Amino acid sequence: LVEAILVLPRNLFYTTDISVTLWIVNKNKKAQSKKVGDETRQYRDREKEILFMDLRQMGEPFEKKYTQFSDDDIQKVVSTYHQWQTKEIENIPEFCYSASLDEVAKKDFSLVPSKYIEFVNRDENIDFEEKMQTLKSEFADLLKAEAQSKNDLLSVFKELGYEIKL
């Protein structure tokens, strides 16, 4: 019955800050033709498939501490879901994965999306020496700026007649 499982971003709801998982259940995943609004959709047979989507990287800040989907985010999710219903789609790392019932069975029928959606390890291709040199330079700039701000602040207080001695 499970058609799709979507992992939503944190802070999407006022009542909880955790990431919520949305399950879409469908009793009729057979190939069929359906009229939706003004268009007729040709759905494919999805009886032995489940679409997993990880939407945690989507969304934009809302009211300081909440997250909301942009119109583009909503369009991307809806488009991907409807495309999957009508034709096979390409699995996209860190976004979506269409799993067959055989794959789910091999994973002991676990419906945890992270067991299917590929995670991209961005750290394995980082040149450590280059990254450390960049960080060293950025920290040196920050420390220089901090020292300059401190000197400027001490000068202002001195000009006002309230010299601060450290």
Side-chain angles (χ1 to χ4, degrees), residues 2-133:
V2 177
E3 177 156 88
I5 297 178
L6 290 71
V7 182
L8 303 177
R10 292 183 55 155
N11 298 314
L12 196 64
F13 300 102
Y14 288 114
T15 55
T16 183
D17 68 343
I18 63 170
S19 178
V20 173
T21 303
L22 177 68
W23 287 45
I24 299 174
V25 180
N26 186 353
K27 284 185 175 182
N28 187 1
K29 296 178 5 176
K30 295 182 187 315
Q32 59 185 300
S33 179
K34 259 191 185 169
K35 189 159 176 70
V36 180
D38 292 339
E39 69 176 294
T40 301
R41 292 188 187 160
Q42 298 295 326
Y43 292 101
R44 65 185 182 83
D45 183 13
R46 307 169 316 281
E47 284 189 304
K48 297 189 184 227
E49 291 181 41
I50 299 173
L51 177 64
F52 293 95
M53 296 180 78
D54 186 343
L55 312 179
R56 292 177 295 177
Q57 301 303 314
M58 296 177 118
E60 54 191 26
F62 173 70
E63 292 183 0
K64 293 185 183 176
K65 68 176 195 171
Y66 298 107
T67 301
Q68 69 179 6
F69 287 124
S70 68
D71 290 341
D72 290 342
D73 292 336
I74 293 168
Q75 184 57 42
K76 182 178 180 180
V77 172
V78 169
S79 174
T80 301
Y81 176 66
H82 288 303
Q83 284 179 18
W84 175 80
Q85 287 181 313
T86 58
K87 64 182 181 186
E88 289 188 25
I89 62 168
E90 182 180 328
N91 296 322
I92 302 170
E94 297 183 341
F95 177 61
C96 68
Y97 187 87
S98 180
S100 68
L101 190 58
D102 290 339
E103 287 177 275
V104 175
K106 286 178 185 169
K107 295 182 190 273
D108 203 24
F109 293 96
S110 172
L111 296 177
V112 176
S114 61
K115 289 191 175 190
Y116 303 93
I117 299 172
E118 181 184 348
F119 172 75
V120 178
N121 186 353
R122 290 175 179 80
D123 293 338
E124 69 184 24
N125 295 325
I126 291 176
D127 180 343
F128 182 78
E129 187 60 35
E130 180 183 328
K131 186 67 173 175
M132 288 306 292
Q133 290 300 327

